[in-house]
Amino acid sequence: MKSIHLIAGARPNFMKVAPLWHALNKETWCKPVLVHTGQHYDAMMSDVFFSDLGLPAPDFHLGVGSGSHAQQTAAVMTAYEELCRQTAPDNVVVVGDVNSTMACAIAAKKLHLQVSHLEAGLRSFDRTMPEEINRLLTDAISDLLWTPSPDADENLAREGIPASRIDRVGNIMIDSLVMMQGAIEKAEIAKRLGLEKKNYGVVTLHRPINVDTVDALDAALSAIIEVSSSLPLVFPMHPRTKARVEEFGLTKKLQQAATVKVCSPLGYVDFMSLLSDCALVITDSGGIQEETCYLGIPCITVRESTERPVTVASGSNRLAQMTDLTNLAPQVVSAWKSGHAGRTIPDRWDGKTADRIVASLKRALS
Ligand code: UD1
């Protein structure tokens, strides 16, 4: 029986690991072992995703918590190296681009273990983003590179990675959406929040570049408040952003904006319900660019670059500066409402990515 570690550390990892855990758990030749690094630890950033996505409690919890990048990465590496020595997994699956992804890949590879990277090959070409460093390093050392889109294959080829290590399996996040569709449709969070379907926007912001300086965050909040005068907004606030809003004395500014509803981070099902019924999303998240692409919801990504250009090509996503938001957002909403904007769902974003990964793993381990 092959033992496969599935590493999850931070919020965007849980919905990538869940479909794979479910698919592997049905197999008789292997056993999925869920490892939670503890990078995210608040109930609404972590536990709720386990219950929403039908995941069991992690087999191992490394409990690393927060810290500087080096501290957090080092803590994950130290704890995970020890776990690898004790358990000797046959394959270590790391997902996405968070610090836990890179840390576990390095720790496992230095023990000569087989490592697979799910969501390989994405590049923003912006090395000031911590996630870009995590992507580059993880891809450079992983044995199996599972990509979501052709641009990812091309990025890896350009970096000299042999085609034999690259397998385009599709987008695993769409598996979660498909798997949870029934629950998402029933959740009706818009109703519970007193919002009219297709008549509100959703905001999420947490990237250091947008929230870690007073000038950037103040400008972002001003733009959001202005947009909210034409479209009411809901803002489930990431703990990093909440901490900065308080630290920079911006709490009152937000409280005075009656058309911006700030709430705590939401669980997976509630958040997907909120997205499915909204008119527009303003975000700096990576995953939300993909989820809106699949759902056909217009997304404005407040970043200078995206590692997910396929969402722009497909017609759902566009990049904008914070300063452009107040002009852009109302135009996007009205274009979509009048039915002008089309979108296409990228190839292999079909809910069957986990099955393709199981087949790939079986080949690699036989
Ligand atoms: C991390 C990922 C980012 C991902 C994001 C999604 C890295 C480098 N970044 O960013 O790619 O998009 O998660 O959420 O790995 N905190 C809490 N409670 C928690 C978790 C964090 O209060 O459960 C606080 C921490 O104290 C810290 C801040 O949030 O101050 C940032 O957490 P961290 O994990 O370092 O990075 P994120 O900004 O969440």
Side-chain angles (χ1 to χ4, degrees):
M1 178 81 97
K2 303 288 184 189
S3 154
I4 298 170
H5 278 194
L6 300 181
I7 310 293
R11 183 170 62 176
N13 295 158
F14 305 129
M15 62 292 261
K16 293 171 191 162
V17 157
L20 189 52
W21 184 89
H22 287 291
L24 288 170
N25 198 43
K26 283 191 217 135
E27 299 291 317
T28 50
W29 58 273
C30 69
K31 181 178 161 20
V33 176
L34 203 47
V35 180
H36 191 326
T37 66
Q39 176 173 347
H40 282 177
Y41 42 85
D42 285 353
M44 290 310 288
M45 296 295 284
S46 172
D47 305 4
V48 67
F49 289 84
F50 281 74
S51 50
D52 272 12
L53 295 161
L55 284 173
D59 297 281
F60 298 98
H61 200 297
L62 307 181
V64 299
S66 298
S68 71
H69 284 278
Q71 286 165 343
Q72 195 173 55
T73 305
V76 175
M77 284 177 69
T78 308
Y80 189 57
E81 179 185 59
E82 184 54 31
L83 182 65
C84 284
R85 283 191 199 284
Q86 286 168 13
T87 56
D90 295 291
N91 189 289
V92 173
V93 177
V94 295
V95 303
D97 57 16
V98 303
N99 288 339
S100 301
T101 310
M102 177 187 74
C104 290
I106 294 176
K109 212 50 237 168
K110 288 206 168 181
L111 293 173
H112 307 161
L113 297 172
Q114 192 182 75
V115 174
S116 311
H117 184 205
L118 173 52
E119 201 185 81
L122 299 188
R123 297 289 180 269
S124 66
F125 303 101
D126 174 1
R127 292 195 180 190
T128 65
M129 284 180 79
E131 293 82 0
E132 183 76 352
I133 306 300
N134 294 340
R135 293 180 199 117
L136 283 160
L137 294 174
T138 304
D139 284 342
I141 59 172
S142 294
D143 300 282
L144 292 176
L145 297 160
W146 292 319
T147 61
S149 47
D151 55 289
D153 300 0
E154 286 158 23
N155 291 334
L156 294 173
R158 205 179 318 107
E159 288 166 21
I161 293 179
S164 57
R165 282 165 57 197
I166 305 168
D167 191 354
R168 182 144 56 87
V169 293
N171 190 333
I172 192 80
M173 303 240 295
I174 308 308
D175 285 36
S176 282
L177 259 176
V178 170
M179 181 173 93
M180 301 308 298
Q181 199 159 6
I184 293 166
E185 277 165 17
K186 278 197 214 117
E188 301 228 300
I189 185 154
K191 205 166 164 186
R192 282 188 273 145
L193 291 174
L195 298 159
E196 193 190 328
K197 280 186 186 180
K198 299 292 169 194
N199 202 25
Y200 65 90
V202 175
V203 179
T204 83
L205 283 183
H206 74 279
R207 296 258 160 237
I209 187 119
N210 286 328
V211 306
D212 276 4
T213 63
V214 63
D215 288 349
L217 186 54
D218 192 24
L221 297 186
S222 297
I224 285 162
I225 290 167
E226 208 177 324
V227 170
S228 77
S229 61
S230 46
L231 182 73
L233 297 174
V234 189
F235 189 170
M237 199 175 274
H238 189 285
R240 168 192 283 277
T241 312
K242 182 168 184 279
R244 298 294 179 267
V245 166
E246 286 163 9
E247 183 187 332
F248 300 149
L250 296 167
T251 310
K252 219 177 191 159
K253 176 171 179 153
L254 263 181
Q255 279 169 349
Q256 282 166 349
T259 43
V260 182
K261 198 184 274 279
V262 176
C263 61
S264 301
L266 298 171
Y268 180 77
V269 169
D270 279 348
F271 189 72
M272 286 306 131
S273 164
L274 192 70
L275 274 196
S276 305
D277 289 334
C278 78
L280 168 94
V281 177
I282 296 169
T283 190
D284 59 9
S285 151
I288 294 173
Q289 296 173 53
E290 298 180 340
E291 286 154 342
T292 49
C293 179
Y294 182 77
L295 294 168
I297 305 287
C299 179
I300 298 180
T301 300
V302 274
R303 283 173 39 190
E304 286 182 0
S305 58
T306 178
E307 60 290 331
R308 286 145 166 113
V310 71
T311 60
V312 177
S314 92
S316 62
N317 189 19
R318 63 188 74 190
L319 302 184
Q321 303 299 303
M322 248 344 144
T323 45
D324 296 335
L325 263 192
T326 47
N327 286 329
L328 194 61
Q331 285 173 29
V332 172
V333 176
S334 74
W336 240 269
K337 278 191 174 162
S338 58
H340 292 317
R343 51 113 204 186
T344 49
I345 297 175
D347 180 38
R348 293 177 221 187
W349 292 28
D350 57 2
K352 296 185 181 123
T353 291
D355 295 339
R356 288 190 278 268
I357 294 173
V358 172
S360 169
L361 268 174
K362 205 170 179 179
R363 280 195 301 273
L365 291 172
S366 58

